[in-house]
Amino acid sequence: MNRNKMRGWLLVLPALIALGVGYLLPLAIALYKSLFAGMSTDFVGLENYADLFRNYAFGLAAKNLLRLWCIAIPLNLVLGVLLAVLCVEAAGPRLRLAFFFPGILPAACVVMVAAEGVSLLGWEDTWTFEAESAWVWLAIVLWKTLGYTVLICAAFFESIPAEVTDAAQLDGAGFWQCLLRVRLPLIGRGLVLSAILVVFNGYRCFREAYLIGGEHPHEELYSLQHFLQNNFANMNYARLEAASILVVAAVLAAGLAILGIWKRYHGRTGHADK
């Protein structure tokens, strides 16, 4: 190993140690303890995982998360691409920073804005923040993650050489044809990164859901974080550890699935995407 590689590994070493101690080691401990019954030393194998799949609350939380992903990811990508085109073609860099601002707002501020919006629209008598709160949660996810998509897509759009789009326009391609057939395939990596961020941020919006619905919200707002929090409060650690392992596996699987879909599309179309 040469000196440059040695320096590189030395620079990365603190991050690797932090990753191992802060994430991988606790995950390994949770995986080990999830194979035992409660706090005892009775080995039960995969019984805790089987119990999770029979649990109604866990199934409800998983269904809500999948539904959130299926709605939020397409909407976020479509809106993000359109707004990124607007920023690049007309509005300039200041507007894209404005879309990024909601992502750094505290959860309490976001929920307060949603509640004030309901009040300003005069929906207090019809809005219950129970069944409808699921749509507020979806709006929060879109609002908080939209800025990332706009920034990423705008940066990728600006990296496309002007000669590429000019050649397409000379061949008779209109604005939408140029966008759909030329520019979008060239920003595939940006779209994949944006989708993965939506997946992770959709899972992390527990604070907003908790402030809207409390510990036991309406079923449409019940999330995996509610399930984990309630099991922790009830000291059901075996179920909590098994659920944590499944959540990590599900989020990683969703990210890998998005990467796999993009690689398959990339290989079929033959785009260089460099």
Side-chain angles (χ1 to χ4, degrees):
M1 183 180 295
N2 58 39
R3 183 174 298 178
N4 290 333
K5 289 186 177 180
M6 180 66 70
R7 289 177 179 175
W9 280 109
L10 288 176
L11 291 173
V12 175
L13 184 60
L16 294 178
I17 294 175
L19 176 66
V21 175
Y23 291 94
L24 299 182
L25 180 60
L27 192 64
I29 295 174
L31 177 61
Y32 173 76
K33 290 189 174 182
S34 67
L35 303 177
F36 295 86
M39 299 295 292
S40 68
T41 57
D42 297 332
F43 182 79
V44 295
L46 300 179
E47 181 60 31
N48 290 322
Y49 295 91
D51 177 66
L52 277 178
F53 288 107
R54 294 191 296 263
N55 187 276
Y56 173 78
F58 182 79
L60 175 64
K63 182 185 71 173
N64 288 340
L65 181 62
L66 289 175
R67 182 177 61 179
L68 179 67
W69 283 347
C70 291
I71 298 175
I73 292 176
L75 283 178
N76 186 281
L77 293 181
V78 171
L79 292 175
V81 167
L82 294 177
L83 291 172
V85 171
L86 175 63
C87 293
V88 171
E89 298 293 338
R94 292 185 179 180
L95 182 60
R96 70 186 73 170
L97 292 177
F99 287 111
F100 182 74
F101 180 73
I104 61 176
L105 284 177
C109 293
V110 176
V111 174
M112 183 183 67
V113 169
E116 289 297 326
V118 172
S119 177
L120 289 174
L121 292 173
W123 293 349
E124 299 95 336
D125 297 332
T126 58
W127 195 278
T128 62
F129 271 104
E130 292 179 356
E132 294 91 341
S133 59
W135 296 103
V136 175
W137 192 29
L138 174 61
I140 289 170
V141 173
L142 288 173
W143 189 36
K144 295 192 69 172
T145 60
L146 188 59
Y148 296 99
T149 305
V150 173
L151 284 174
I152 292 170
C153 292
F156 273 86
F157 277 136
E158 290 178 340
S159 67
I160 299 175
E163 295 81 2
V164 176
T165 55
D166 291 342
Q169 291 173 358
L170 288 175
D171 290 337
F175 173 80
W176 292 107
Q177 288 180 321
C178 184
L179 175 63
L180 297 175
R181 298 187 179 183
V182 178
R183 302 174 75 181
L184 278 184
L186 293 176
I187 66 165
R189 292 181 180 178
L191 295 176
V192 170
L193 178 59
S194 299
I196 291 175
L197 288 176
V198 176
V199 167
F200 282 96
N201 283 307
Y203 171 73
R204 292 171 54 196
C205 285
F206 167 68
R207 294 171 298 174
E208 291 83 357
Y210 184 84
L211 289 173
I212 293 173
E215 294 183 1
H216 302 283
H218 190 272
E219 286 192 355
E220 294 189 4
L221 190 63
Y222 192 79
S223 67
L224 283 172
Q225 293 91 329
H226 285 100
F227 180 81
L228 297 175
Q229 175 67 26
N230 293 336
N231 277 277
F232 178 78
N234 296 331
M235 295 187 293
N236 195 340
Y237 297 127
R239 180 182 292 175
L240 175 65
E241 289 154 353
S244 301
I245 297 298
L246 288 181
V247 167
V248 172
V251 173
L252 289 178
L256 292 175
I258 294 172
L259 286 174
I261 293 172
W262 175 75
K263 287 183 178 180
R264 180 174 298 180
Y265 171 78
H266 181 269
R268 187 173 67 248
T269 56
H271 291 297
D273 194 22
K274 294 181 179 179

